[in-house]
Amino acid sequence: MLKYTLSIEGMQCPMCEAHINDTIRKAVPGATKVSASAGKKSASFVTESAVDQDALKKAIDETGYTMRAIESAPYEKKGFFSFLHK
């Protein structure tokens, strides 16, 4: 699994965050844990496979917001009792 973190400019309120979340879900159908933060000017999501970053940028930019950067990193799912296995 991969976790993507996007740097997005233009979000000002919870409605902006909802627009970004909806856009990510439409552009990346398998996306889970989708979350946007106007305060942090970022959004993140998890997916099973690599994402077409150009298509995602285009989808976000078409909503009136600006995607400045995208990072991906391996994502390890943590269970409720994962702290017991350390």
Side-chain angles (χ1 to χ4, degrees), residues 11 13-25 34 36-37 65:
M11 291 188 291
C13 65
M15 202 60 177
C16 296
E17 295 169 351
H19 285 140
I20 292 296
N21 290 341
D22 289 344
T23 301
I24 291 170
R25 287 186 186 103
V34 179
S37 170
Y65 305 100

Side-chain angles (χ1 to χ4, degrees), residues 1-22:
M1 295 184 88
L2 295 168
K3 179 177 182 178
Y4 285 88
T5 304
L6 318 174
S7 173
I8 300 173
E9 289 188 11
M11 291 188 291
Q12 308 254 336
C13 65
M15 202 60 177
C16 296
E17 295 169 351
H19 285 140
I20 292 296
N21 290 341
D22 289 344

